[in-house]
Amino acid sequence: MTSRILMVLTSHDRLGDTGEPTGFWLEELAAPYYVCLDAGAEVVLASPKGGQPPLDPKSDAEESQTDATRRFQQDDQAQEALANTRKLSEISADDFDAIFYPGGHGPLWDLVDDSDSIRLIETFWAQQKPVAAVCHAPIVLIHARDPEGELIIKGRQITGFTNEEEDAVGLTDIVPHLVENALKEGGAHYSKADVFVAYTRQDGLLITGQNPPSSEPTAKLLLDALKK
């Protein structure tokens, strides 16, 4: 039985009022995409607006390249899938076995309070299916509630992009949310490793990674959770 994994990308392309472009972070899509695909899973890409989601150009720079990003850029099928993401409003959790959110700064603006995204997370959770997010994307969890009405993150082990990492990229005063602070305010048991060191947390079916280097191990934890 082939697992179907929904990967949700941002549709937001501007870094506040700086005029600078933003979007999703390429490594955080490419690495999990191939971890899942190479394990035999089917991956479907979606975004709030559908179609081509915005790529953060910094994630496409030479110093940000990895084997996975280079493979993704040269993969016609992957590029086709990316150009034609499905609209979140048209997605049903019933059709998938797990949901994964790549980061980038974009989700801080659109996915954090996107009603379709929250609906999907809550439905996956209620159906006891894995929910995973990496880097900035754990911000998408802060408003999602379980069937009893409690915040999903409350009392759970979690990680995400740290205040120090945001400081290191010089965007602390630009972003609308600091991921670390938002998760703590939601009652999560937040923990982290050093700046840009791979670090993951798993609390049952909730799986999170701290930063771009954490994207591949986060996806591997998701696959492990699906096997169980």
Side-chain angles (χ1 to χ4, degrees), residues 50-65:
Q52 177 82 47
L55 171 68
D56 187 321
K58 288 180 180 166
S59 72
D60 202 21
E62 189 48 47
E63 63 270 19
S64 301
Q65 295 303 310

Side-chain angles (χ1 to χ4, degrees), residues 15 22-24 56 103-109 136 161 166 169 171 175:
L15 212 46
T22 192
F24 72 91
D56 187 321
H105 282 88
L108 299 176
W109 276 274
H136 286 88
F161 207 62
E166 202 64 80
V169 297
L171 293 172
V175 294

Side-chain angles (χ1 to χ4, degrees), residues 158-171:
I158 206 164
T159 191
F161 207 62
T162 72
N163 291 349
E164 292 88 347
E165 286 168 331
E166 202 64 80
D167 208 36
V169 297
L171 293 172

Side-chain angles (χ1 to χ4, degrees), residues 86-152:
R86 290 174 57 185
K87 261 193 186 161
L88 276 189
S89 58
E90 297 167 2
I91 298 275
S92 168
D94 297 345
D95 298 331
F96 296 92
D97 301 297
I99 190 168
F100 186 101
Y101 285 81
H105 282 88
L108 299 176
W109 276 274
D110 65 349
L111 288 171
V112 60
D113 48 17
D114 184 280
S115 58
D116 292 307
S117 175
I118 294 166
R119 164 184 62 82
L120 282 166
I121 293 166
E122 291 179 342
T123 309
F124 274 90
W125 193 255
Q127 293 176 348
Q128 298 186 318
K129 294 172 179 175
V131 173
V134 69
C135 199
H136 286 88
I139 200 77
V140 306
L141 304 167
I142 65 171
H143 299 305
R145 294 182 181 273
D146 66 19
E148 286 72 51
E150 280 282 8
L151 289 173
I152 285 170

Side-chain angles (χ1 to χ4, degrees), residues 62-83:
E62 189 48 47
E63 63 270 19
S64 301
Q65 295 303 310
T66 65
D67 289 345
T69 64
R70 284 185 282 268
R71 181 179 170 190
F72 194 89
Q73 295 289 40
Q74 293 160 11
D75 182 337
D76 290 344
Q77 274 185 305
Q79 293 302 312
E80 174 82 6
L82 184 62

Side-chain angles (χ1 to χ4, degrees), residues 157-159 189 191 199-203 206-209 221:
Q157 299 291 331
I158 206 164
T159 191
H189 292 310
S191 59
Y199 182 73
T200 58
R201 298 302 294 158
Q202 179 169 8
D203 194 319
L206 186 65
I207 300 160
T208 48
L221 287 174

